[in-house]
Amino acid sequence: NDAPTVSTVISDASTNEDAVYSYNASANFTDVDTGDGATYTVSGNPAWMSIDPATGILSGTPDNDDVATATNITVTRTDTANASVSDTFALTVANTNDAPTVSTVISDASTNEDAVYSYNASANFTDVDTGDGATYTVSGNPAWMSIDPATGILSGTPDNDDVATATNITVTRTDTANASVSDTFALTVANTNDAPTDLTSGHIGSSTVDTINDSGAFSATDVDSGDVLSYSVSNGVGVY
């Protein structure tokens, strides 16, 4: 029996994350014993890689966590007499851009009119690419709301005219490679009481030393639709 030999060393190589890696290592071995069987094994390989013991094909798909410096991988061919030979090569997993993702959906919410609204939407997004930049935009937002493109903070102050049913607002995070992800939530502006304004009266009257006669109607404006107004006199002397 003659042991198998390395016919050509396996070249160092690089593969991209998230891409299927496949290499037929049997092409790098030979055995002068015609018809001798062969079994292939691998050691030093990352968890994502395996080898087909019959064909010598290395395969697998690395992900972002596998991006690293070169890994030294050893492939061994063993014949039926248990004679073997090995070869080692270095494989590097190269980074590719990953789009940002929604880590937690933005919950539907309610805010009061005339109160400052602020929410940091950046807390709902993540990016596995460490150090990747982020820009935030918003759409479907009411006129009173804006977003800080650097921090993702939504802010503004709604007023009485903004009291309404839920508004669907979409926040988008975009990375430096222009990959993006969006999330939509509903925001409702709740009514709070506004004091009436513009009190006026249309009255006629006369007065003497002891008596003031006054009659007429009072009116006022209230932005709260349907609010009921009542009128009273304070610090007055006499009968009203």
Side-chain angles (χ1 to χ4, degrees), residues 42-191:
V42 64
S43 61
N45 53 305
W48 58 266
M49 177 189 287
S50 62
I51 194 168
D52 186 312
T55 65
I57 295 176
L58 296 161
S59 62
T61 305
D63 60 24
N64 191 78
D65 292 336
D66 299 304
V67 174
T69 54
T71 301
N72 291 321
I73 300 167
T74 299
V75 179
T76 300
R77 174 170 168 166
T78 305
D79 68 12
T80 51
N82 210 36
S84 64
V85 67
S86 300
D87 190 33
T88 299
F89 72 104
L91 182 68
T92 303
V93 177
N95 184 65
T96 58
N97 185 68
D98 293 274
T101 57
V102 175
S103 54
T104 308
V105 296
I106 304 174
S107 299
D108 294 342
S110 176
T111 189
N112 289 335
E113 62 155 304
D114 299 328
V116 175
Y117 171 81
S118 181
Y119 181 77
N120 188 352
S122 71
N124 298 84
F125 297 89
T126 190
D127 195 322
V128 295
D129 292 327
T130 302
D132 206 353
T135 301
Y136 297 90
T137 55
V138 64
S139 61
N141 52 304
W144 58 266
M145 176 188 288
S146 62
I147 193 168
D148 185 312
T151 65
I153 295 177
L154 296 162
S155 61
T157 305
D159 61 23
N160 191 79
D161 292 337
D162 300 303
V163 173
T165 54
T167 301
N168 291 322
I169 299 167
T170 300
V171 179
T172 300
R173 171 169 169 165
T174 305
D175 68 13
T176 50
N178 210 36
S180 65
V181 67
S182 300
D183 191 34
T184 299
F185 71 104
L187 182 67
T188 302
V189 176
N191 184 66

